[in-house]
Amino acid sequence: RLVEKHIDLSWNKGKYGLLQQIVAKGFRYQTTFRDGFRDFDGYVKYVEDIRHSVPDLEVTVEEIMAEGDKVITFSTFCGSFNKPLFGMPANGKIIAFSAASVWIIYRGKVLEQTTMVDLSGLQHQLNAE
């Protein structure tokens, strides 16, 4: 539930004040989109950039597995690509791509998230005419 709440507050609603209440001090985020880890503020900026380019973005958790302090999610990101993103020009089309994330929970809060995105599928959609 904690991870689903994290996804909903950040990606689907952009409610970062509430989100900050469920992340641990020292939160780190890494993705295949960018090199290196980001802290909470860097994560918020990253999510805002994507939400700005895909304003109707919706992230749906397709599958979730948890054991101990680790959670794995498989999600689908979907929305209209209306504004430039990461140097790619907008094409006005609906994009949908999948991602898998590994989450580390510490003392009931999200400490770390590492996300692997289907970059090939996304790149194809971003370049589509």
Side-chain angles (χ1 to χ4, degrees), residues 57-129:
L57 179 69
E58 184 174 334
V59 178
T60 303
V61 177
E62 305 292 345
E63 190 168 350
I64 189 165
M65 297 168 275
E67 185 172 324
D69 63 353
K70 291 186 181 169
V71 178
I72 297 173
T73 56
F74 294 94
S75 304
T76 301
F77 289 64
C78 185
S80 305
F81 182 38
N82 293 334
K83 296 181 181 160
L85 177 64
F86 304 138
M88 301 294 301
N91 63 11
K93 294 187 176 186
I94 294 173
I95 57 172
F97 60 93
S98 58
S101 296
V102 177
W103 306 73
I104 305 297
I105 309 302
Y106 178 72
R107 294 186 177 178
K109 294 190 175 193
V110 177
L111 176 63
E112 187 174 305
Q113 177 190 359
T114 301
T115 299
M116 292 131 298
V117 175
D118 173 14
L119 291 174
S120 177
L122 178 60
Q123 185 78 21
H124 177 73
Q125 293 175 71
L126 293 177
N127 289 326
E129 293 293 326

